Every structure is written in C-alpha cells, then in structure tokens.
C-alpha cells in the first residue's frame, strides 16, 4: 500500500489492542421469502450477503501479512457448522461463487462433506483473506461479545448473527460485528450495516 492515511490510527490501536463491537437488528423479511421460494439455505445466503456488503468498505479489507500492512482485493467468510451427534461446532470455508445460488450449492456440499467432523478446523488450513462468521440460531440476542488475548495484536473481523423473530410485521435478526479499531471506526461500521440492509432489501 503506497499511501495509507489511517497509518497513525492503525499502529496506535494495534498497539493497545482495541476492538469495537456493535449489534444492530436487520430486516431479513425479503431474504426469508427468497430462501423459501428458491429453496436456498438461510445461512449460506446470509454469508453471501455479508460478503457482498463487507467488501464495499475498504477499511474492512486492511490486514497485516508477514509484518506488512496490506489491503486484500476481497475478503471471504468462514462459518461455523455443528456435528449433530456430538453437538460440537467447527469452522469451515466454502469457495465464494459469482451468484448466491452457486454459493448456496458450494456451501451445501462443504457442510455435507464435513458433517461428522470432530476437530475445530477439519479442512486443515483456511484462506488468509478471511472474516469469521458464526451463528447462534437458538437465541435472539441484544448483544454478543467474544474476546481473547489473541485478539490484541491481530486484525479482528468477526460477525455473529442470531435467531430472527417477527416484530411489527417484519422478521428481524440480531447481527454483531467485531472489528479492530485499527481498521475501522463507528462510521465504517454504520456504512456496513447500511449497505447490508440495502442488499437484503433487493432480494
């Protein structure tokens, strides 16, 4: 990166290890209708829409690779899945596709292939240009937080969504984003939520 006007902020907040968290409720009514109509997996389509929205925000694509500050062309989602017998979760990655229908198929194949996994990362390695997505489909939460010491000196990009509920005639879903303050401020997070809702409204 030849020019980075956020450099002072980036290195300051990386030094102190600050992450910021925001939870918002998003309207997924049209998305549910589309998934029902076209027999699409809800989590797969949410991953695809998160991918589209997050990549419109330049700040979310900043990262550190081998000690160097970089900007990925695209970042792609990992996601959580669960072994139905052991009730233990694991992290997977499905190759991103051009359309939501194509990604839905890739997602389903990946989940089926690793359905009986007993390790946390059964694919062994994950791409470097990722953001992490987890789902808590049993709970409509007001806020979610997950922190560890390992976050302090790493670029964090984590999204967690919960159970949708019908409120005032619309289905709304809680979504929490955790992002390194080195990368982004509240302004960038607000842009992300705005773009995501616009994408969902077009479904």
């Amino acid at each position: 990166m030849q020019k980075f006007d956020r450099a002072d902020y980036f290195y300051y907040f990386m030094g102190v290890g600050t992450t910021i968290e925001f939870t918002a409720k998003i309207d997924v009514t049209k998305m549910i209708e589309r998934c029902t109509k076209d027999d699409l997996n809800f989590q797969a389509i949410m991953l695809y829409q998160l991918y589209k929205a997050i990549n419109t925000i330049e700040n979310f694509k900043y990262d550190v690779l081998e000690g160097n500050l970089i900007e990925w062309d695209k970042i792609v989602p990992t996601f959580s899945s669960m072994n139905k017998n052991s009730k233990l979760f694991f992290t997977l990655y499905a190759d991103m596709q051009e359309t939501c229908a194509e990604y839905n198929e890739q997602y389903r194949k990946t989940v089926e292939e690793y359905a009986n996994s007993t390790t946390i990362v059964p694919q062994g390695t994950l791409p470097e240009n990722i953001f992490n997505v987890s789902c808590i489909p049993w709970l409509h939460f007001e806020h979610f937080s997950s922190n560890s010491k390992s976050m302090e000196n790493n670029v964090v990009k984590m999204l967690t969504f919960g159970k949708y509920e019908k409120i005032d005639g619309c289905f709304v879903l809680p979504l929490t984003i955790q992002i390194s303050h080195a990368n982004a401020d509240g302004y960038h997070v607000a842009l992300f939520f705005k773009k995501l809702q616009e994408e969902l409204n077009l479904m």
Side-chain angles (χ1 to χ4, degrees), residues 76-117:
V76 293
T78 63
F79 59 92
S80 55
S81 190
M82 178 178 281
N83 183 313
K84 292 183 179 179
N85 295 316
S86 69
K87 306 304 182 189
L88 293 173
F89 82 92
F90 42 90
T91 298
L92 296 175
Y93 165 76
D95 289 330
M96 186 47 63
Q97 305 295 316
E98 286 296 318
T99 69
C100 63
E102 290 171 331
Y103 182 73
N104 180 74
E105 185 62 25
Q106 187 67 35
Y107 169 91
R108 283 181 165 165
K109 288 179 180 177
T110 303
V111 170
E112 182 178 351
E113 180 178 356
Y114 293 96
N116 297 315
S117 296

Side-chain angles (χ1 to χ4, degrees), residues 32-40:
I32 292 170
E33 292 172 354
R34 172 74 184 278
C35 288
T36 301
K37 175 178 175 288
D38 294 343
D39 190 28
L40 301 171

